[in-house]
Amino acid sequence: MAKLFSPITFKDMTLKNRIVMSPMCMYSSEKQDGKLTPFHMTHYISRAVGEVGLIILEATAVEQSGRISAQDLGIWEDEQVHGYKNLVEQIRAYGAKTGIQLAHAGRKAQDEDITFAPSPLPFNETFKIPTELTTSGIKRIVEAFGNGARRAKKAGFDMVEVHAAHGYLINQFLSPLSNHRTDAYGGNRENRFRFLSEITEIVKKEFNGPVFVRISADEYHKDGNTIDDFLFFTSKLKDMDVDLIDCSTGGIVPARINVYPGYQVKQCETIKREASIPTGAVGLITTGIQAEEILQNDRADLIFIGRSLLRNPYWAKQAADELEYPLDAPKQYTRGWR
Ligand SMILES: Cc1cc2nc3c(=O)[nH]c(=O)nc-3n(C[C@H](O)[C@H](O)[C@H](O)COP(=O)(O)O)c2cc1C
């Protein structure tokens, strides 16, 4: 029995298999209103037809000034909900579950005149110097995540993922490299965790369903958070009843990353084992055999697939063939998938 094709349950969401479409920004909200376009519909629904178990929509901004680019998706106003509801219904028709990644770019918002961050430290010399967030600014953004989660619920999403990775705003608070505050949101790791903790709390309350958190579990810098710090953060998230840690790395400071097949699996495995919380592995996982090895050896609970799904919407079929698993085709495709 291929574990990749076995079901798994998180609260009221049962996935038919362990394959997750990793959140990937498409920068295609052409009118710059944060709304879905026909491209997004085709893009996401075709992965549902391709038998992906869980489709997580790309980083979606909880406030307008939190977009990475002006073409990002957004969930900062009620008007945006209708489009998501329509997409979720269509994905559901093919048996996939749907989630959305709630995000704020902070100092990495490229198209904003004024950007916000825990401290006035730019990502590098080509980025603007961000404005240090005040306590009321912090509260406003925490509320924005709560409102985003409430709208996600209204749209019918099965889960939400909090984007605390890749050097975006939450990650900027977590890391001593970008957070030099001296108030309750900076300094020791307990304080640096406070922003994520408040966001997780409000998102859980407003969404009332499965919540994943994506982190960057390696900062590739000697003064950055260590694996011990990440075990501290993820143990706290487990205590807060977060359902899964989606384990990525990097993005907080410019760094050269040595990438190779499964290059982020070791952090994922350590967090699963030491913090006793389900994890998702991501990063250059390209074959069914590789995915199966990770799952069978209890190194992760879900397999997130990014670029391979951009190359092949039917990646699940390819993986099933490698594992000699008789994956059912969508009924219209039976003659081709036999
Ligand atoms: C085009 C593109 C857009 C991405 N956008 C996001 C995003 O919105 N949120 C996120 O957490 N990661 C994003 N990522 C990272 C992917 O989710 C994934 O972690 C990464 O590509 C590694 O997995 P892979 O080797 O299977 O592609 C993006 C990656 C790509 C290639």
Side-chain angles (χ1 to χ4, degrees):
M1 171 69 185
K3 199 167 176 186
L4 186 60
F5 292 98
S6 65
I8 185 169
T9 298
F10 298 92
K11 298 204 168 75
D12 59 348
M13 172 180 78
T14 297
L15 306 179
K16 64 182 171 186
N17 61 44
R18 309 297 181 99
I19 303 170
V20 182
M21 181 175 183
S22 200
M24 283 179 285
C25 278
M26 292 289 109
Y27 308 113
S28 291
S29 190
E30 316 291 359
K31 290 187 187 151
Q32 308 192 1
D33 56 2
K35 289 187 182 162
L36 292 165
T37 63
F39 167 79
H40 292 106
M41 302 300 282
T42 305
H43 171 65
Y44 288 114
I45 295 167
S46 45
R47 274 69 191 177
V49 174
E51 292 298 321
V52 168
L54 172 63
I55 293 169
I56 306 185
L57 265 62
E58 62 203 81
T60 301
V62 296
E63 64 172 25
Q64 200 164 0
S65 62
R67 292 177 293 180
I68 303 165
S69 84
Q71 288 75 28
D72 285 16
L73 288 182
I75 193 157
W76 64 78
E77 57 190 6
D78 292 344
E79 235 186 68
Q80 290 158 333
V81 172
H82 176 73
Y84 294 121
K85 194 163 187 284
N86 184 17
L87 176 60
V88 168
E89 275 164 16
Q90 296 201 51
I91 288 178
R92 189 167 288 149
Y94 300 100
K97 301 292 181 189
T98 322
I100 187 165
Q101 190 184 49
L102 301 177
H104 194 299
R107 70 179 185 179
K108 282 180 143 182
Q110 287 161 17
D111 294 340
E112 295 297 313
D113 293 333
I114 300 172
T115 61
F116 296 96
S119 304
L121 303 163
F123 175 70
N124 66 22
E125 58 287 349
T126 69
F127 279 75
K128 294 175 198 82
I129 297 175
T131 302
E132 180 171 319
L133 276 163
T134 59
T135 311
S136 65
I138 289 173
K139 300 284 176 213
R140 185 196 75 228
I141 294 174
V142 170
E143 290 287 322
F145 272 92
N147 290 331
R150 179 175 50 75
R151 293 187 185 108
K153 189 78 187 180
K154 226 171 143 197
F157 284 103
D158 299 291
M159 54 79 67
V160 293
E161 176 166 280
V162 173
H163 196 352
H166 301 166
Y168 296 112
L169 185 61
I170 300 174
N171 195 173
Q172 291 158 31
F173 273 87
L174 289 176
S175 177
L177 301 172
S178 45
N179 182 347
H180 291 184
R181 298 176 77 92
T182 53
D183 63 1
Y185 292 91
N188 62 32
R189 62 190 184 182
E190 177 100 43
N191 281 357
R192 299 198 308 277
F193 179 70
R194 194 174 310 280
F195 185 57
L196 174 55
S197 162
E198 289 179 4
I199 287 171
T200 303
E201 207 163 287
I202 198 164
V203 165
K204 279 187 53 60
K205 178 168 144 269
E206 294 291 345
F207 189 72
N208 191 24
V211 174
F212 295 1
V213 176
R214 174 168 271 198
I215 60 165
S216 278
D218 193 329
E219 301 194 337
Y220 303 108
H221 191 289
K222 66 178 175 36
D223 299 323
N225 280 313
T226 63
I227 190 68
D228 188 56
D229 294 320
F230 289 112
L231 291 174
F232 173 82
F233 299 143
T234 51
S235 300
K236 293 233 169 219
L237 292 169
K238 182 201 155 78
D239 292 345
M240 297 178 77
D241 196 30
V242 161
D243 294 274
L244 177 134
I245 302 298
D246 167 10
C247 202
S248 189
T249 68
I252 191 66
V253 286
R256 283 181 77 87
I257 302 175
N258 176 28
V259 294
Y260 49 85
Y263 66 102
Q264 298 170 145
V265 176
K266 59 179 180 299
Q267 294 88 346
C268 175
E269 180 176 11
T270 303
I271 289 168
K272 179 171 167 57
R273 192 181 57 237
E274 305 288 325
S276 305
I277 184 165
T279 55
V282 67
L284 279 185
I285 301 167
T286 54
T287 69
I289 302 278
Q290 199 190 349
E292 188 68 9
E293 182 280 321
I294 294 166
L295 293 170
Q296 291 284 4
N297 284 315
D298 282 331
R299 307 171 78 194
D301 299 271
L302 293 179
I303 301 295
F304 284 59
I305 303 293
R307 289 161 292 181
S308 293
L309 271 171
L310 295 186
R311 287 191 288 276
N312 178 9
Y314 309 110
W315 185 86
K317 169 66 176 151
Q318 174 195 312
D321 288 349
E322 282 172 41
L323 297 169
E324 296 179 3
Y325 176 80
L327 180 63
D328 284 340
K331 69 175 191 294
Q332 296 88 340
Y333 290 2
T334 311
R335 289 178 65 184
W337 280 32
R338 254 191 224 127

